[in-house]
Amino acid sequence: MINFILLDGAPANAGLMNILMIVALIFIFYFFMIRPQQKRQKEIKKFRESIEVGQKIVTAGGIYGRVRRIKDTTFVIEVAKDVLITIDKGSVYPSAEDAQTDPESDKTVK
Protein backbone atom coordinates (compact mmCIF):
# COMPACT_ATOMS: atom_id res chain seq x y z
CA MET A 1 0.00 0.00 0.00
CA ILE A 2 2.84 2.38 0.83
CA ASN A 3 4.42 1.71 -2.56
CA PHE A 4 1.28 2.87 -4.33
CA ILE A 5 1.24 6.05 -2.27
CA LEU A 6 4.90 6.78 -3.00
CA LEU A 7 4.58 6.04 -6.71
CA ASP A 8 1.38 8.05 -7.06
CA GLY A 9 3.25 11.35 -7.38
CA ALA A 10 6.13 9.95 -9.48
CA PRO A 11 6.36 11.00 -13.13
CA ALA A 12 5.26 8.42 -15.69
CA ASN A 13 8.64 8.26 -17.44
CA ALA A 14 10.79 7.74 -14.30
CA GLY A 15 11.48 4.11 -15.27
CA LEU A 16 12.70 5.17 -18.70
CA MET A 17 15.00 7.78 -17.14
CA ASN A 18 16.50 5.15 -14.83
CA ILE A 19 17.20 2.84 -17.75
CA LEU A 20 18.79 5.67 -19.76
CA MET A 21 20.98 6.56 -16.78
CA ILE A 22 22.18 2.96 -16.45
CA VAL A 23 22.95 2.79 -20.18
CA ALA A 24 24.87 6.08 -19.95
CA LEU A 25 26.94 4.76 -17.03
CA ILE A 26 27.77 1.58 -18.94
CA PHE A 27 28.75 3.65 -21.97
CA ILE A 28 31.02 5.90 -19.86
CA PHE A 29 32.53 2.91 -18.06
CA TYR A 30 33.32 1.23 -21.39
CA PHE A 31 35.05 4.24 -22.94
CA PHE A 32 37.02 5.27 -19.87
CA MET A 33 37.95 1.89 -18.40
CA ILE A 34 37.55 -1.10 -20.73
CA ARG A 35 38.57 0.35 -24.10
CA PRO A 36 41.91 1.85 -22.93
CA GLN A 37 42.80 -1.46 -21.26
CA GLN A 38 42.07 -3.36 -24.47
CA LYS A 39 44.28 -0.94 -26.43
CA ARG A 40 47.08 -1.40 -23.91
CA GLN A 41 46.81 -5.20 -24.17
CA LYS A 42 46.99 -5.04 -27.98
CA GLU A 43 50.06 -2.80 -27.74
CA ILE A 44 51.81 -5.22 -25.39
CA LYS A 45 50.96 -8.18 -27.63
CA LYS A 46 52.29 -6.35 -30.68
CA PHE A 47 55.51 -5.51 -28.81
CA ARG A 48 56.06 -9.14 -27.76
CA GLU A 49 55.53 -10.36 -31.31
CA SER A 50 58.04 -7.84 -32.67
CA ILE A 51 60.91 -8.88 -30.37
CA GLU A 52 63.85 -10.21 -32.36
CA VAL A 53 67.03 -12.11 -31.55
CA GLY A 54 69.70 -9.74 -30.23
CA GLN A 55 67.23 -7.18 -28.87
CA LYS A 56 67.62 -5.90 -25.31
CA ILE A 57 64.63 -6.51 -23.05
CA VAL A 58 63.57 -6.04 -19.44
CA THR A 59 61.33 -8.58 -17.73
CA ALA A 60 58.52 -7.79 -15.33
CA GLY A 61 60.83 -8.97 -12.53
CA GLY A 62 63.48 -6.41 -13.50
CA ILE A 63 65.91 -8.77 -15.23
CA TYR A 64 67.84 -7.12 -18.05
CA GLY A 65 69.06 -9.24 -20.91
CA ARG A 66 69.52 -9.78 -24.61
CA VAL A 67 67.32 -12.23 -26.52
CA ARG A 68 69.32 -15.21 -27.82
CA ARG A 69 66.55 -17.60 -28.92
CA ILE A 70 62.81 -17.31 -29.43
CA LYS A 71 60.58 -20.31 -28.83
CA ASP A 72 56.79 -20.68 -29.02
CA THR A 73 55.99 -19.41 -25.53
CA THR A 74 59.42 -18.50 -24.13
CA PHE A 75 62.51 -16.43 -24.72
CA VAL A 76 66.03 -17.55 -23.93
CA ILE A 77 67.91 -14.46 -22.80
CA GLU A 78 71.52 -13.86 -21.91
CA VAL A 79 71.83 -11.92 -18.66
CA ALA A 80 75.63 -12.09 -18.42
CA LYS A 81 78.41 -13.64 -20.45
CA ASP A 82 77.45 -17.30 -21.03
CA VAL A 83 74.54 -17.09 -18.56
CA LEU A 84 71.29 -18.00 -20.28
CA ILE A 85 67.85 -18.11 -18.69
CA THR A 86 64.48 -19.04 -20.12
CA ILE A 87 61.59 -16.69 -19.44
CA ASP A 88 57.93 -16.71 -20.41
CA LYS A 89 56.91 -14.29 -23.15
CA GLY A 90 54.22 -12.95 -20.85
CA SER A 91 56.82 -11.52 -18.48
CA VAL A 92 58.23 -9.03 -20.99
CA TYR A 93 56.63 -5.59 -21.08
CA PRO A 94 57.34 -2.63 -23.33
CA SER A 95 59.09 0.26 -21.68
CA ALA A 96 61.18 2.55 -23.86
CA GLU A 97 63.07 3.99 -20.89
CA ASP A 98 63.89 0.57 -19.40
CA ALA A 99 64.94 -0.92 -22.73
CA GLN A 100 67.38 1.94 -23.34
CA THR A 101 69.11 1.58 -19.97
CA ASP A 102 72.34 -0.38 -20.03
CA PRO A 103 72.43 -2.38 -16.76
CA GLU A 104 76.20 -2.85 -16.85
CA SER A 105 77.05 0.85 -16.80
CA ASP A 106 73.93 2.21 -15.04
CA LYS A 107 73.84 4.98 -17.64
CA THR A 108 71.17 5.67 -20.21
CA VAL A 109 72.25 4.68 -23.71
CA LYS A 110 71.37 7.27 -26.36
Side-chain angles (χ1 to χ4, degrees):
M1 184 77 174
I2 293 179
N3 287 339
F4 291 120
I5 295 170
L6 293 175
L7 293 176
D8 189 34
N13 62 356
L16 180 63
M17 291 300 291
N18 286 337
I19 292 173
L20 288 175
M21 188 64 80
I22 291 171
V23 169
L25 287 173
I26 292 171
F27 180 77
I28 290 169
F29 184 75
Y30 175 78
F31 277 100
F32 286 106
M33 300 288 283
I34 297 172
R35 192 165 179 247
Q37 181 65 26
Q38 288 175 342
K39 282 185 175 182
R40 205 171 307 125
Q41 291 295 339
K42 285 180 185 178
E43 202 174 278
I44 291 170
K45 183 179 177 184
K46 184 178 177 182
F47 170 78
R48 288 178 184 152
E49 291 172 352
S50 69
I51 292 177
E52 299 173 349
V53 174
Q55 184 175 351
K56 289 183 181 180
I57 60 169
V58 180
T59 67
I63 299 172
Y64 290 80
R66 189 176 297 272
V67 177
R68 291 298 174 211
R69 285 190 299 272
I70 300 174
K71 297 181 180 179
D72 289 338
T73 60
T74 61
F75 292 119
V76 176
I77 63 170
E78 183 176 32
V79 293
K81 186 177 180 187
D82 297 327
V83 179
L84 300 174
I85 62 172
T86 303
I87 61 166
D88 187 61
K89 284 185 177 183
S91 68
V92 178
Y93 292 97
S95 175
E97 184 177 305
D98 290 342
Q100 292 178 359
T101 304
D102 186 3
E104 295 172 2
S105 66
D106 292 331
K107 296 179 182 175
T108 303
V109 177
K110 293 187 180 183

